[in-house]
Amino acid sequence: MAVRAVAWLHLWAATGLACTPASVSDAGYLILLGIRTTCSEIILRHEVLKDGFHRDLLIKVKFGESIEDLQTCRLLIKQHIPTGLFVDPYELASLQERNITEAMMVSENFNIEAPNYLSEESEILIYARQDSQCVDCFQAFLPVHYRYHRPHSKDGETFIVVNNPDLLMYCDQEFPILKCWAQSEVGAPCTLKNKDTCQWKNMKYKSVNKNVTLRVPVGLTVHTSLVCSVTLLVTILCSTSILVAVFKYGHFSL
């Protein structure tokens, strides 16, 4: 294909019909040379690790083009947290101190003790890191926890849907390949420590799975009387045991 294209170019040059912007478009010229003009896709994968009420959300991003020339770029993941989940800000601070993850909460007045039906959605900004095992891959790690849900009358479980995040990129210099993926610009902190606002490019990508769905076990309303009775009985027994121990082994002075 390339040999045939070169032959055509020599023929055009000899006849005075060399390509100009008016005669042949850049895309047609590249196609003639056998160079692919379509943009490759960014692939995003959501994974949920561990079992129980305490999970780890792992987000992996793979670029379709080599990013060796994009070493000055940073990747930011804006993850929406539904009401059925919460992120512990104290846990985030601990993970940052140990250099495990870099994330910050956007929402204010966040209550980690509130149940699902008294909570609001929140947003987390996660600064992704380049994967040491993949030159054109990034990944981000975020621990999430289930909130308490209302008991159901029949089904003993409910579902939480975690939507795919927004993928943001900021580069110190402009690269033509970014035009393939960029859709708009979004203002966000430049880094976790630098609170200055940078204009990040909102990138379009292809997700391996549409959304992440988590299954949460919940109580049944028919068990309300039994649970309340057992809880009250255990509370009375424990309180009585404490009082007996205090009067038996305690030292009182008037």
Side-chain angles (χ1 to χ4, degrees):
M1 178 68 181
V3 174
R4 186 179 300 176
V6 172
W8 275 106
L9 288 176
H10 281 295
L11 179 61
W12 284 341
T15 58
L17 297 176
C19 293
T20 63
S23 58
V24 179
S25 66
D26 293 338
Y29 179 76
L30 293 175
I31 294 174
L32 180 64
L33 293 180
I35 299 176
R36 180 169 50 86
T37 58
T38 58
C39 297
S40 59
E41 293 178 319
I42 301 176
I43 306 299
L44 183 141
R45 178 189 295 272
H46 253 149
E47 295 183 31
V48 179
L49 310 179
K50 297 167 50 175
D51 296 321
F53 275 62
H54 310 282
R55 302 292 189 96
D56 292 333
L57 184 63
L58 183 62
I59 303 171
K60 296 183 177 182
V61 179
K62 179 176 176 57
F63 285 81
E65 297 284 349
S66 175
I67 58 170
E68 294 179 357
D69 296 333
L70 304 180
Q71 297 300 320
T72 61
C73 297
R74 299 188 291 274
L75 197 66
L76 179 62
I77 296 175
K78 186 177 181 181
Q79 180 66 60
H80 299 270
I81 305 298
T83 58
L85 296 174
F86 74 90
V87 177
D88 189 344
Y90 304 103
E91 184 180 18
L92 281 186
S94 176
L95 293 175
Q96 292 166 11
E97 291 179 357
R98 291 180 287 164
N99 197 30
I100 296 178
T101 189
E102 293 182 275
M104 62 181 299
M105 303 186 65
V106 178
S107 306
E108 298 180 354
N109 301 324
F110 189 73
N111 186 0
I112 63 176
E113 302 293 341
N116 166 66
Y117 47 88
L118 296 179
S119 304
E120 297 180 357
E121 294 185 354
S122 59
E123 291 183 354
I124 305 292
L125 297 179
I126 317 169
Y127 293 85
R129 299 180 177 181
Q130 190 166 0
D131 191 343
S132 58
Q133 300 179 353
C134 178
V135 67
D136 56 350
C137 301
F138 284 81
Q139 64 179 11
F141 165 80
L142 182 69
V144 294
H145 311 276
Y146 291 167
R147 291 187 182 273
Y148 290 107
H149 292 69
R150 289 185 185 275
H152 289 185
S153 58
K154 295 182 180 179
D155 194 1
E157 63 181 12
T158 188
F159 297 93
I160 302 175
V161 178
V162 182
N163 294 324
N164 287 323
D166 295 333
L167 191 62
L168 310 177
M169 176 172 278
Y170 178 81
C171 298
D172 295 331
Q173 63 186 70
E174 191 69 26
F175 293 98
I177 196 172
L178 293 181
K179 298 179 181 179
C180 291
W181 302 315
Q183 302 181 101
S184 59
E185 290 191 351
V186 178
C190 298
T191 63
L192 188 64
K193 297 180 180 179
N194 184 2
K195 303 302 181 182
D196 294 339
T197 301
C198 290
Q199 293 301 315
W200 297 73
K201 295 186 181 299
N202 190 356
M203 314 295 281
K204 56 184 177 182
Y205 61 85
K206 179 180 179 181
S207 178
V208 175
N209 47 341
K210 185 176 181 181
N211 293 306
V212 173
T213 302
L214 304 176
R215 180 178 298 178
V216 185
V218 298
L220 295 175
T221 53
V222 295
H223 297 156
T224 302
S225 300
L226 176 62
V227 171
C228 291
S229 300
V230 172
T231 302
L232 180 60
L233 179 61
V234 171
T235 302
I236 293 174
L237 291 176
C238 291
S239 301
T240 303
S241 299
I242 294 173
L243 289 175
V244 170
V246 168
F247 283 106
K248 185 176 181 180
Y249 302 102
H251 298 282
F252 303 95
S253 59
L254 297 176

